[in-house]
Amino acid sequence: MNSLGRKFAVAPMMDWTDRHCRVFHRQLTRRALLYTEMLTTGAIIHGDRERLLGFDACENPVALQLGGSDPSELAQAARIGEAFGYDEINLNVGCPSDRVKDGRFGACLMAEPELVARCVDAMKRAVAVPVTVKCRIGIDDQDPEVALDTLARAVVAAGCDALIVHARKAWLNGLSPKENRDIPPLDYERVYRLKRAMPDVPVIINGGIPGIDEAKAHLEHVDGVMLGRAAYQEPWRLLSVDSDIFGETAPHATMQDALEAMMPYIEAQLARGTRLHAITRHFVGAFHAVPGARAFRRHLAEQGVKPGAGLDVLRDAIARVGVRAPAEAAA
């Protein structure tokens, strides 16, 4: 494992892990490695880079996930990401969405391991920060025993610094992107076997992991764990990451404290024209089984979307939560 501390990470998730989400998650854990949403090479090379790539320094360590299949374009996008201050460049070889497939990137690249290796090689030559790959165990009719090993060995030979494996197949023919997150069966043992076969390569497991206790169990077999929907939909779980995974003190003892720490950031964003809801939409699952949690969600949903909504809306929502005990105690 390198200095990034890939022992625990929050997964890159489209439309979810934007810069506001990551600042929020950083109030809950100092040690988790955070990821951007997947950004295509075309968007980075030709789009509004500050809007797409800009982030607050408090988010570090944070990795940039790229979508693409052209080695030269990926190298260019990786250089741009490194210049913006990202700590890692990750190549998406796991997303099953139709538009990803049509663009020849994402999970469909599982069928082209040699191309993925050329992409990794080009990025490694372009940047000094680590380059990693996030993949599935296979796609469609591939045999995961063969497909995952073939891809892994190809990208490691090209210099890949770590493999993040979503422990499901992706069925590009027959399942929707949403169905691909749940229907293909999880096969954690397949990822464990990959780690045993490649003991010197950092292997991080992802897919269907519901909480920190389960993450700790996986760490007996692999180098790191990546939480996706559980971390986003129930962010209170992240309050125990630093203590339970790293043996350190969390940045804030309660969810209320973490949200209070968000206030200066939110105030600065509102002054730049950001709407409150763009930030507070990430707080919906902040409280779990806590008296007032439903009132908190309702108040944000009804008042946070209104033009001119400010910090008073968030403060009023927090005031509806009746318990100041550590959020993880509500699990």
Side-chain angles (χ1 to χ4, degrees):
M1 300 299 288
N2 68 24
S3 60
L4 276 185
R6 294 194 186 89
K7 199 172 182 181
F8 186 91
V10 177
M13 291 174 280
M14 294 293 290
D15 300 321
W16 288 4
T17 51
D18 62 18
R19 63 194 302 178
H20 308 312
C21 174
R22 297 192 304 268
V23 170
F24 172 44
H25 285 173
R26 189 55 76 210
Q27 308 311 312
L28 308 176
T29 165
R30 291 189 182 94
R31 292 297 305 275
L33 177 58
L34 304 180
Y35 281 76
T36 68
E37 306 170 83
M38 183 191 70
L39 296 172
T40 65
T41 53
I44 290 173
I45 294 169
H46 304 293
D48 182 345
R49 294 177 187 173
E50 181 56 41
R51 180 181 64 82
L52 292 168
L53 294 170
F55 67 96
D56 193 280
C58 77
E59 296 173 40
N60 292 103
V62 59
L64 168 64
Q65 187 182 66
L66 297 178
S69 59
D70 181 282
S72 63
E73 291 181 356
L74 282 163
Q76 185 178 353
R79 278 193 295 268
I80 294 167
E82 182 181 46
F84 264 82
Y86 287 96
D87 299 290
E88 173 187 305
I89 308 296
N90 175 262
L91 178 61
N92 184 320
V93 189
C95 182
S97 79
D98 292 337
R99 66 188 182 94
V100 164
K101 182 171 61 174
D102 294 342
R104 200 185 176 205
F105 54 88
C108 66
L109 290 175
M110 293 287 300
E112 300 186 75
E114 292 181 0
L115 173 58
V116 178
R118 293 199 300 273
C119 292
V120 169
D121 178 68
M123 290 189 289
K124 284 291 293 182
R125 293 174 185 273
V127 299
V129 296
V131 173
T132 64
V133 168
K134 187 173 189 293
C135 64
R136 295 279 183 132
I137 61 173
I139 56 171
D140 298 330
D141 294 322
Q142 285 184 329
D143 178 354
E145 296 302 322
V146 176
L148 183 57
D149 268 0
T150 301
L151 179 77
R153 295 190 184 283
V155 299
V156 168
C160 179
D161 292 288
L163 289 162
I164 304 155
V165 186
H166 185 144
R168 283 188 176 96
K169 267 191 173 185
W171 286 93
L172 304 181
N173 297 305
L175 293 181
S176 71
K178 183 178 184 299
E179 291 170 331
N180 262 303
R181 291 194 291 267
D182 295 299
I183 292 178
L186 287 160
D187 189 353
Y188 295 134
E189 290 291 336
R190 178 64 191 95
V191 185
Y192 298 167
R193 289 195 295 277
L194 176 69
K195 177 59 193 176
R196 290 196 295 269
M198 307 182 79
D200 297 328
V201 178
V203 173
I204 292 84
I205 198 166
N206 171 232
I209 300 168
I212 305 307
D213 287 344
E214 293 80 5
K216 290 167 67 177
H218 284 298
L219 287 171
E220 297 180 7
H221 304 278
V222 292
D223 300 291
V225 176
M226 176 179 277
L227 252 64
R229 283 172 290 167
Y232 184 86
Q233 295 170 346
E234 299 175 334
W236 52 270
R237 295 184 182 277
L238 297 178
L239 276 169
S240 64
V241 166
D242 290 5
S243 58
D244 288 0
I245 301 293
F246 296 97
E248 299 179 6
T249 303
H252 298 288
T254 70
M255 184 60 73
Q256 286 92 334
D257 292 339
L259 292 175
E260 185 64 34
M262 284 289 294
M263 298 292 183
Y265 173 83
I266 296 172
E267 189 171 34
Q269 287 294 316
L270 294 176
R272 295 187 180 103
T274 303
R275 296 191 64 171
L276 181 69
H277 178 67
I279 303 171
T280 58
R281 70 188 184 95
H282 301 299
F283 303 165
V284 170
F287 300 99
H288 174 75
V290 172
R294 184 176 297 178
F296 170 84
R297 294 193 298 270
R298 183 185 301 118
H299 191 74
L300 287 184
E302 293 175 352
Q303 303 300 319
V305 297
K306 293 182 177 180
L311 284 176
D312 57 319
V313 171
L314 178 56
R315 289 197 171 99
D316 288 347
I318 295 171
R320 286 162 166 75
V321 180
V323 176
R324 285 191 60 84
E328 65 268 30

